[in-house]
Amino acid sequence: MNVLKLTNKSITGTKPRLLITASIHAREYTPAELATRFAEYLVSNYGKDADVTWMLDSQEVWLVLQSNPDGRKKAEAGASWRKNVNDTQACGNGLFGADLNRNFTYAWGTGGSSTDPCNETYRGVSAGSEPETQNLQNLIRAAFADNRGPARTDAAPASTPGVYMDIHSYSQLVLWPWGDTTTAAPNGAALQSLGRKLAYFNGYTPEQSVGLYPTSGTTDDFAYGELGVAAYTIELGTAFFEPCSTFTGTTLPKNQAALLYALRVARAPYQLGSGPDSVSLSAPASVATGASFTLSASADMTRFNTSNGAEPARTIAGAEYFIDTPPGPAARRAP
C-alpha cells in the first residue's frame, strides 16, 4: 500500500495536512480516479496557480489512491467485490473477506456491522484485525497529532489542524462522525459547518454519518474519535459504475472544488469552515516598484449547502490580506 505525499520540500517545518484515502471498498472505482486526478491537478498547477502554489508551499497532501488493493484485483476480475480478500473465515456463499470500513478500532462492533463472515459488512474477527486497516490506522496516526481526550464527550480544541477525508461511492453525500449514534460529536457543530461548506461545492447532501445508516468501526469515526481531527466521508455519484462523461463533466470538477476547499482550510478547519469566504478579489496584474495600487475584495457567509438545515447567522467582524507572506495561525479568519 503506497502513499503519495505532495508539498514543497524546500520549505521545511510542521505543516497542516490533508489526508485522503480512496476506494476502501473494492468495487468503488471512482474514488481512486478522483484522488489521482486531484493529485495531478495540484502538481500540474504548482507554480502557475497562486492558490495551489501557496497551499503546497505551506501545507501537505497525503493520498492513498487505493486503500484495498487485493480487493480491487478481485473486482477488476469481474466480481462486485466490497471487502478485502481475507479467506480465513469459512464462507459458504463465496463472499469471504472483511469490510475494512467496519474494522477500525474506534467504537468497533457498536452497531451497523455484521458478525457473519459472509455478510457484506462483516467487521472482522477483532478490532483492527486486517493488515489494510492496521496500515491505514498507522498512517492516520502519523499524519495527525492526538488532540482529543479519551472520553466520547471530549472535544478537540477549535484550533486543531488537519483534515481527513475518506472517498467512497455512491450516494452524493458529505458525512461526518458519529456513525453509530444520533448524538452529535463533541465538535459536531464545527464538523457540520465545514460539511455544509464542502457540500456547497459538490452539491451533495450534508449530514451526520448515522443519517445514511448506522455504522461502526469506520475510518472517519476512527480519525476523529482517536485524534480529534476533522474527518469526513464523501460518497460520490449515483452508481458504482457511471459513464466517463458523467465523471469528467460533473463528479470530477465539483468534488475537486470540495477537496481544494478542504486543503485551503486545513490549518484550522473547525474555525475556518464556519467562517466567511473571500468570494471576489481583484488587483492589477503587475505593479511598478514603489508604486501604489488598489486591492478590492468582498467576503460573505453564503457558501453553505442549506439542503439539510441552515447555518446560524454570523457577523463578519473583519478581514486581513497578505502579500508575499502566506497566512499562518494568526490569519485563520481569512482563508
Side-chain angles (χ1 to χ4, degrees):
M1 296 176 69
N2 296 308
V3 183
L4 176 63
K5 298 181 180 180
L6 304 178
T7 192
N8 182 346
K9 293 177 66 175
S10 66
I11 299 177
T12 59
T14 302
K15 300 179 182 180
R17 290 172 178 144
L18 169 64
L19 169 59
I20 297 172
T21 56
S23 295
I24 199 169
H25 290 144
R27 63 194 175 201
E28 299 175 9
Y29 291 0
T30 311
E33 185 69 14
L34 173 66
T36 303
R37 298 284 191 105
F38 181 56
E40 291 172 344
Y41 176 86
L42 293 175
V43 171
S44 63
N45 282 280
Y46 182 81
K48 301 176 183 178
D49 180 275
D51 274 352
V52 171
T53 304
W54 159 69
M55 287 190 285
L56 288 185
D57 280 347
S58 60
Q59 299 171 134
E60 296 180 4
V61 184
W62 295 17
L63 303 107
V64 180
L65 305 176
Q66 179 52 254
S67 300
N68 184 356
D70 295 337
R72 173 69 179 241
K73 288 185 68 176
K74 190 84 170 175
E76 288 182 351
S80 181
W81 203 260
R82 173 184 171 95
K83 302 186 283 184
N84 71 355
V85 296
N86 182 350
D87 61 357
T88 58
Q89 301 299 302
C91 188
N93 66 4
L95 298 179
F96 53 84
D99 183 347
L100 298 174
N101 203 35
R102 300 295 185 274
N103 187 241
F104 280 70
T105 55
Y106 191 86
W108 177 80
T110 56
S113 63
S114 176
T115 58
D116 177 4
C118 299
N119 192 281
E120 289 273 53
T121 61
Y122 174 53
R123 66 194 189 193
V125 295
S126 61
S129 60
E130 306 307 299
E132 300 92 339
T133 305
Q134 295 163 21
N135 288 344
L136 294 173
Q137 290 190 163
N138 289 339
L139 179 67
I140 292 168
R141 290 188 178 113
F144 306 111
D146 186 353
N147 284 290
R148 205 179 79 86
R152 290 274 281 199
T153 54
D154 290 335
S159 58
T160 297
V163 176
Y164 169 69
M165 304 191 78
D166 192 25
I167 313 299
H168 289 248
S169 65
Y170 62 95
S171 286
Q172 295 188 318
L173 296 169
V174 176
L175 307 171
W176 57 86
W178 305 112
D180 64 340
T181 175
T182 57
T183 301
N187 295 94
L191 287 166
Q192 177 175 267
S193 293
L194 178 53
R196 287 172 172 168
K197 190 73 70 74
L198 298 172
Y200 168 85
F201 292 99
N202 61 18
Y204 293 175
T205 300
E207 64 181 1
Q208 188 175 324
S209 291
V210 72
L212 176 58
Y213 43 69
T215 58
S216 63
T218 59
T219 54
D220 53 2
D221 276 11
F222 172 84
Y224 173 74
E226 285 279 327
L227 306 173
V229 65
Y232 294 87
T233 292
I234 294 183
E235 294 275 0
L236 304 174
T238 59
F240 289 132
F241 306 105
E242 293 185 332
C244 289
S245 59
T246 301
F247 175 79
T248 56
T250 303
T251 302
L252 174 61
K254 289 187 174 183
N255 284 282
Q256 183 169 277
L259 295 181
L260 284 168
Y261 190 84
L263 178 57
R264 186 171 290 115
V265 302
R267 65 190 185 276
Y270 291 138
Q271 295 171 320
L272 295 172
S274 60
D277 291 318
S278 299
V279 294
S280 66
L281 184 69
S282 64
S286 61
V287 180
T289 301
S292 61
F293 69 95
T294 299
L295 171 68
S296 300
S298 61
D300 65 28
M301 300 286 292
T302 62
R303 300 206 295 187
F304 294 100
N305 185 312
T306 59
S307 64
N308 196 24
E311 284 291 293
R314 300 183 180 98
T315 300
I316 301 175
E320 295 174 295
Y321 66 89
F322 303 84
I323 298 175
D324 295 331
T325 302
R332 288 171 178 156
R333 294 197 302 271

